[in-house]
Amino acid sequence: MSSADLSSQSHNDNNVGQMLGGLVFIKTRDLASLEKFYIETIGMQLWLEQPNITILHHGNMILGFHQIQNVDEQEPDLQGMYTFVYPSLEQVDDMHAKLQHVADGKPRHNERYQIYQFFAKDPEGRDLEFQAFLHPLKEVSSAVPKWRKRNRNQ
């Protein structure tokens, strides 16, 4: 579909804009290895595939991994940390059991931030955190809110 076709569609089209939020794209040298790690080990789900791109989600966290075309000239994105949040301490413990070979140690309570956490690395060396909050939180949703129609003449 061309951009002209898209722009002529009604803004009320139910197939457009079903998400409000964002996603982070990350350059990788080995898309297949990361897909396997994040899907099979961490349990992320496939959201969308595009040429040289795999987009995965964990709840409302969306990560897009983009295969570097020239691995000799580009470096993968390794900065930042990706934090996976779980509703229970038991789920953090379960993730630690799966990742203990790449974890920094056992899960622990962090009194300052009121979380239960551990850190690990992905196959390319990115920092990962697995945690559960130890206090109530507001609900976060990526559902598109019902927008109120506005009068264009206002």
Side-chain angles (χ1 to χ4, degrees):
M1 182 178 289
S2 74
S3 60
D5 291 334
L6 284 173
S7 66
S8 67
Q9 285 184 332
S10 164
H11 290 295
N12 295 325
D13 185 339
N14 289 332
N15 294 320
V16 177
Q18 295 178 2
M19 176 185 152
L20 175 66
L23 58 111
V24 175
F25 276 100
I26 304 157
K27 291 187 293 189
T28 178
R29 285 190 169 160
D30 188 355
L31 185 59
S33 169
L34 286 184
E35 277 181 30
K36 182 175 179 171
F37 176 78
Y38 281 93
I39 291 172
E40 294 179 14
T41 305
I42 294 190
M44 292 188 82
Q45 296 178 346
L46 179 65
W47 187 64
L48 182 65
E49 285 186 304
Q50 297 176 327
N52 299 315
I53 293 174
T54 297
I55 303 175
L56 306 174
H57 77 93
H58 168 80
N60 64 0
M61 178 170 72
I62 303 174
L63 300 176
F65 292 99
H66 185 259
Q67 177 68 49
I68 294 171
Q69 295 305 302
N70 188 341
V71 295
D72 294 329
E73 294 180 11
Q74 289 185 296
E75 293 294 322
D77 292 323
L78 300 178
Q79 66 277 13
M81 178 169 47
Y82 307 111
T83 299
F84 293 84
V85 179
Y86 296 88
S88 73
L89 280 59
E90 293 79 14
Q91 288 170 303
V92 173
D93 288 338
D94 290 346
M95 290 308 301
H96 181 264
K98 292 179 182 180
L99 297 166
Q100 59 188 342
H101 64 287
V102 292
D104 71 336
K106 292 183 178 183
R108 56 208 166 266
H109 287 85
N110 181 322
E111 297 301 325
R112 180 175 187 180
Y113 296 108
Q114 298 181 45
I115 58 176
Y116 181 70
Q117 71 185 136
F118 75 93
F119 298 93
K121 298 275 188 185
D122 82 1
E124 289 187 316
R126 288 175 192 84
D127 292 322
L128 306 175
E129 178 183 25
F130 298 84
Q131 73 172 47
F133 285 96
L134 301 174
H135 56 85
L137 299 169
K138 288 187 206 177
E139 185 176 335
V140 176
S141 172
S142 59
V144 177
K146 303 270 187 227
W147 294 101
R148 186 183 64 163
K149 287 186 179 180
R150 66 180 170 160
N151 185 339
R152 293 188 189 263
N153 295 327
Q154 290 180 338

